[in-house]
Amino acid sequence: MKISYGRGGLVAFAVAASLTVAGCGADAEPKASHKPTTAHQPSQETSPTQVEPSTGEPAEQPTEPLLVAKGRKGVELAIESAERDAGGFLTIKGRLSNSSGSAVSLPAEMRGDETEVVKHGKSLGGATLIDAVGKKRYYVLRDTDGRPLTTTGLDSLGPGKSTAVFMQFPAPPASTTEVSFQLPTFEPATLKLS
C-alpha cells in the first residue's frame, strides 16, 4: 500500500511527527522529586532538629508556654517568651487564640482606658505587670504619639484561629523573678522572668 501526500500534507505530517516525538521524550527521565528514599536518610521521628524544606533553616520546635491567661468566650493568651534586653525593656511574645467553635469579637477593654491608647484602636495596651515584692506596676510602653508598643488592630478571631502578639514593657529589676500578668477581661496569671 502506497501513501501519497501533497506538498502541504507532507510538511504537516513531518511537523506533527516531530512534535509527537518531542512530547513523548519530555517525560522519559524521572524527575528529581520522584527518586526513591534510601535507608540512609534520617526519619522525622529520630531527627533531633527539623529543617524547613523551603529555607534549609532549622524549624522552630513547639515550646511550652510560660503562662496561659484565660479570657471570655474561649479566648486565650499563651505567653511564649519574656525577654529582657540591654536597653532596659521587657518584650513579651505569644499567641492570642480562639478555642471556641464560633468567631469571637475581641473585647475593646483589652486596650485599657487611657485616652492616648484608646484612639489607636483595639490592642493589648491595657496589659500590666505587677511586681508585688517591689510594689510596682508596669504599663505597656507608648511611643511619642501615644501608640502602645504592642500588637494593634485586633478585631476578631475565627473558630480555632490564633494570631501572634507582642507587648513591650519597662523591664523590672533583675532581682524580680516573678510578676503578675494582667490584661482586662482575662484572669490574672503569674509570669516567671529569667
Side-chain angles (χ1 to χ4, degrees):
M1 179 173 172
K2 185 174 178 183
I3 299 177
S4 171
Y5 295 102
R7 281 189 184 179
L10 188 57
V11 172
F13 177 77
V15 171
S18 65
L19 289 176
T20 303
V21 171
C24 289
D27 291 327
E29 291 185 11
K31 293 179 183 175
S33 63
H34 295 298
K35 289 183 182 176
T37 57
T38 62
H40 299 293
Q41 294 177 339
S43 72
Q44 288 186 352
E45 294 173 4
T46 59
S47 175
T49 303
Q50 299 295 321
V51 175
E52 288 289 338
S54 59
T55 63
E57 297 289 322
E60 284 187 29
Q61 298 295 321
T63 58
E64 190 70 26
L66 300 174
L67 72 82
V68 176
K70 307 248 184 214
R72 298 180 192 159
K73 300 179 183 176
V75 177
E76 296 179 347
L77 173 63
I79 293 180
E80 298 164 344
S81 70
E83 296 180 6
R84 295 176 201 211
D85 65 27
F89 303 111
L90 175 71
T91 302
I92 293 177
K93 295 179 183 176
R95 292 201 76 77
L96 193 62
S97 61
N98 174 8
S99 62
S100 75
S102 59
V104 173
S105 179
L106 297 172
E109 295 93 339
M110 292 188 318
R111 68 182 173 203
D113 58 5
E114 292 182 40
T115 306
E116 287 296 312
V117 174
V118 168
K119 70 181 182 183
H120 295 291
K122 287 187 182 178
S123 69
L124 301 176
T128 57
L129 302 176
I130 310 247
D131 176 2
V133 174
K135 298 185 186 332
K136 288 190 178 180
R137 179 184 299 251
Y138 298 90
Y139 294 90
V140 170
L141 292 168
R142 279 96 170 137
D143 68 12
T144 55
D145 292 326
R147 281 194 278 298
L149 298 182
T150 181
T151 306
T152 58
L154 298 170
D155 290 322
S156 63
L157 280 174
K161 299 291 183 187
S162 68
T163 186
V165 294
F166 83 96
M167 295 158 272
Q168 196 166 46
F169 296 87
S175 58
T176 301
T177 58
E178 189 175 283
V179 291
S180 174
F181 174 82
Q182 297 184 359
L183 180 65
T185 74
F186 285 74
E187 298 173 0
T190 300
L191 176 62
K192 301 223 180 260
L193 304 174
S194 56

